[in-house]
Amino acid sequence: MEVVEYPEAEVPARLRAQVWALQERAWPTGAPDPGVSHDPALDPRSMLLVDGPRVVAALDLLGKDLRHGGEVFAARGLSAVVTDPARRGRGHGLALVTAARTRIAALGADLGLFTCDRPLQGFYERAGWEVLPGAVLVGGTAEEPFPSDRPGFDKAVLAGFFSAHGRARRHGFDGARIALHPGTVDRLW
């Protein structure tokens, strides 16, 4: 098995079809594959764990500059993390999420930041991510915010601090409302 990475718009069609099928199983829309799922302004990159010609697990990395606490951070986050249901429980998703953490650091991000359903928090912690206690990630736009603490959500905010700039300001993220605002396509990456 190997991890491969492509800009989202350049994922080969045979692999993209498999990724879309996995995503449709996890989050059914009934819609045809749009070819790309994310706002191109967020520099979407697809990371796939493949076993020969088969996609075993997939996720997307999104990025943007984040203004928080009077500072600007190069931020990246995970989106659309999915593993083939027939191959779950074998460490494949964990391997991919761990590789993504390493890749985010290699891309020069100050920090990685994303939300997950609270029951999945331990999974991401095993991959090296840390929970930001009391933090709320605010997606959407400033005009139409989409916070991770909205009614009906049970989300944890996870992070990794990679650069000296990010690590030095780590304390400013616990318990904070973090205005990510990735837009209307990727409302809460």
Side-chain angles (χ1 to χ4, degrees), residues 13 16 29 37 44 62 72 74 84 94 98 107 114 116 145-146 183-184:
R16 174 63 194 188
T29 66
S37 302
L62 305 178
V72 177
D84 181 343
L94 185 63
T98 301
L107 288 169
F114 61 98
C116 75
F146 191 79
T184 57

Side-chain angles (χ1 to χ4, degrees), residues 1-2 18 48-57 87 92:
M1 278 198 235
E2 68 175 322
Q18 292 178 60
L48 315 175
L49 179 65
V50 296
D51 186 3
R54 301 293 312 158
V55 175
V56 175
R87 301 190 67 174
H92 301 312

Side-chain angles (χ1 to χ4, degrees), residues 84-136:
D84 181 343
R87 301 190 67 174
R88 286 189 185 146
R90 301 180 196 171
H92 301 312
L94 185 63
L96 185 59
V97 169
T98 301
R101 188 176 188 287
T102 300
R103 182 65 178 134
I104 287 172
L107 288 169
D110 294 310
L111 62 111
L113 189 64
F114 61 98
T115 63
C116 75
D117 293 336
R118 202 164 300 281
L120 295 173
Q121 157 182 328
F123 165 79
Y124 288 102
E125 287 177 305
R126 284 190 303 278
W129 296 96
E130 64 178 284
V131 173
L132 293 178
V136 174

